[in-house]
Amino acid sequence: MNNIIIVLGAPNDARGNLSQIAQDRLNCAYNLYQANGSFRIVCTGGFGAHFNPTEKPHYFYAQKFLIEKGIPDHAIATGVPSTNTITDFQLSKKLIVEENPDILIIITSDFHIERAQILYKRYIAYPKVVFIPAISSLSKAELVPLIEHESCAVKRLKEEEV
């Protein structure tokens, strides 16, 4: 089978240490892979002052995390050097169309899933997709501004569709 997991990027610090959001998403991908090793994993994330100020793309740190957890190198596909959720999908589209996966799984944070689904439909709309929310391990206080941000972003996207 030709199965692909795309893990959407999240911040890392100036030393390449992954944020808890990134770790939650990658742990979700790791657990899914452990349950079914037929998947290849694509990590997204390039550079940006707001999420990765290092000299290596975010996907490098994400791939390293997965390999250190025991995911074999052959299961890690080339990363996508995106800068936000829109470019996650814009830059992944060619891979998805060329690979024509039997199952495409998109992993992102639980609080980010609605916006990711809207943008996915707008930029890719590949029919054989499943979204899996990575359950956030952030505190309630840390989640509140993220949920508010996502709510506003989803509202803007829905207004654009009208």
Side-chain angles (χ1 to χ4, degrees), residues 1 11 14 16 18 41 58 62 69 71 77 81 86 105 114 121 123 126 135-136 156:
M1 288 189 83
L18 296 171
I41 302 173
H58 170 76
K69 285 187 73 86
I71 301 291
I86 291 171
I105 293 178
E114 184 178 9
K121 287 176 190 168
Y123 293 101
Y126 184 77
I135 305 303
S136 178
R156 281 192 307 275

Side-chain angles (χ1 to χ4, degrees), residues 110-127:
D110 49 5
F111 59 83
H112 183 245
I113 201 109
E114 184 178 9
R115 180 160 59 109
Q117 289 172 322
I118 291 168
L119 292 171
Y120 176 85
K121 287 176 190 168
R122 186 175 290 179
Y123 293 101
I124 297 179
Y126 184 77

